[in-house]
């Protein structure tokens, strides 16, 4: 399943609307604000540590008010993962889809992915990088949802590479999955290193590495 299908397609549509165009009711706006806070906290303190009580303290809401939106910790965690996915669509997938299919879209996806981390859309960096480490060894619905979202992103990037190969812009002899893995790894490395070293140079270094890998694939085909 591609990243834009299912929940992602719905999220993509919503990403281009703001205010009452999408969040028409007070309840929807409140839930959105709660999930914004939950996703931010999850990147700083961990998704497993996220709780109704902790979120109530962070948002200034009552526990009973939060329980009206989320009946359990697991329900809150799953909703937070879905919300973070919608944010990712709005910040990365949506803008990149404006680029033509092929090499331009591959670059747009990678550049937006680096930009997403560089701008610190979430205070602790990439939501899915944070939560995947948190839930690596915690089997269950939350881990499954995080895995699904990450697989779908990689599948979407791989599909974009396949389109660039089909158009003759990238070397078809190298597997699209391998290329997608490498390009994503550069972006993920920049995110991880910035969280530790706080050196913003890593983002431009990631972009140079991505450009270099793409150019090497174009050169191989032309040879």
């Amino acid at each position: 399943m591609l990243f834009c299908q299912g929940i992602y397609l719905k999220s993509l549509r919503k990403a281009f609307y703001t205010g009452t165009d999408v969040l028409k009711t007070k309840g929807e706006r409140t839930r959105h604000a709660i999930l914004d806070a939950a996703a931010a906290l999850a990147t700083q303190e961990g998704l497993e540590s996220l709780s109704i009580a902790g979120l109530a303290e962070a948002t200034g809401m009552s526990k009973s008010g939060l329980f009206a939106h989320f009946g359990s910790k697991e329900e809150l965690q799953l909703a937070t993962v879905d919300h973070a996915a919608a944010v990712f669509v709005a910040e990365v997938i949506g803008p990149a889809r404006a680029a033509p299919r092929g090499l331009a879209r591959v670059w747009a996806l990678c550049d937006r992915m680096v930009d997403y981390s560089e701008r610190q859309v979430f205070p602790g960096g990439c939501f899915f990088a944070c939560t995947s480490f948190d839930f690596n060894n915690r089997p269950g619905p939350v881990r499954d949802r995080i895995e699904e979202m990450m697989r779908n992103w990689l599948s979407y990037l791989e599909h974009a590479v396949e389109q660039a190969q089909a158009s003759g812009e990238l070397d078809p002899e190298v597997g699209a999955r391998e290329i997608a893995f490498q390009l994503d790894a550069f972006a993920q490395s920049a995110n991880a290193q910035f969280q530790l070293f706080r050196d913003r140079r890593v983002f431009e270094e990631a972009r140079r590495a991505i450009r270099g890998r793409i150019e090497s694939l174009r050169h191989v085909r032309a040879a």
Side-chain angles (χ1 to χ4, degrees):
M1 181 179 70
L2 293 181
F3 196 86
C4 63
Q5 293 177 346
I7 181 177
Y8 293 100
L9 184 56
K10 295 177 184 177
S11 299
L12 185 58
R13 293 193 188 106
K14 290 184 177 182
F16 296 100
Y17 295 91
T18 57
T20 56
D21 289 330
V22 170
L23 306 176
K24 294 182 178 180
T25 70
K26 181 180 178 181
E28 289 174 333
R29 291 193 296 272
T30 300
R31 180 183 174 89
H32 190 274
I34 292 168
L35 291 173
D36 271 342
L41 280 172
T43 64
Q44 294 174 302
E45 301 176 7
L47 186 59
E48 176 59 23
S49 301
L50 191 64
S51 67
I52 297 290
L55 192 55
E57 182 178 353
T59 60
M61 294 183 63
S62 66
K63 292 182 185 179
S64 60
L66 286 171
F67 268 114
H69 294 275
F70 313 100
S72 67
K73 176 178 177 176
E74 184 175 277
E75 184 180 336
L76 170 61
Q77 290 173 325
L78 289 170
T80 301
V81 173
D82 289 345
H83 181 75
V87 171
F88 189 87
V89 168
E91 297 288 341
V92 180
I93 300 290
R97 281 171 61 89
R101 290 183 179 183
L103 189 56
R105 187 171 295 180
V106 172
W107 167 249
L109 285 167
C110 295
D111 185 47
R112 292 296 304 188
M113 178 64 173
V114 174
D115 183 67
Y116 160 82
S117 297
E118 185 175 21
R119 288 186 294 108
Q120 294 288 276
V121 172
F122 294 112
C126 175
F127 177 90
F128 291 99
C130 295
T131 56
S132 63
F133 284 114
D134 200 10
F135 276 81
N136 272 349
N137 298 304
R138 298 179 186 274
V142 179
R143 185 193 183 282
D144 292 346
R145 187 71 60 84
I146 294 167
E147 179 185 353
E148 177 188 2
M149 301 305 184
M150 293 190 69
R151 284 185 182 277
N152 289 341
W153 154 245
L154 290 170
S155 176
Y156 191 87
L157 181 57
E158 180 181 343
H159 183 62
V161 171
E162 288 173 341
Q163 291 176 328
Q165 290 175 321
S167 67
E169 296 176 284
L170 289 178
D171 181 11
E173 297 301 316
V174 182
R177 184 180 184 277
E178 178 182 339
I179 296 170
F181 171 83
Q182 293 169 347
L183 299 180
D184 178 69
F186 288 132
Q188 293 291 356
S189 179
N191 174 74
Q193 289 196 31
F194 179 74
Q195 297 311 310
L196 183 62
F197 303 128
R198 295 293 162 177
D199 184 346
R200 303 194 71 85
R201 291 177 297 178
V202 298
F203 298 115
E204 191 52 41
E205 289 166 354
R207 289 188 178 93
R208 285 199 299 270
I210 290 167
R211 288 193 196 98
R213 182 57 180 142
I214 289 174
E215 286 303 314
S216 74
L217 291 166
R218 294 178 71 184
H219 176 72
V220 168
R221 186 185 185 283

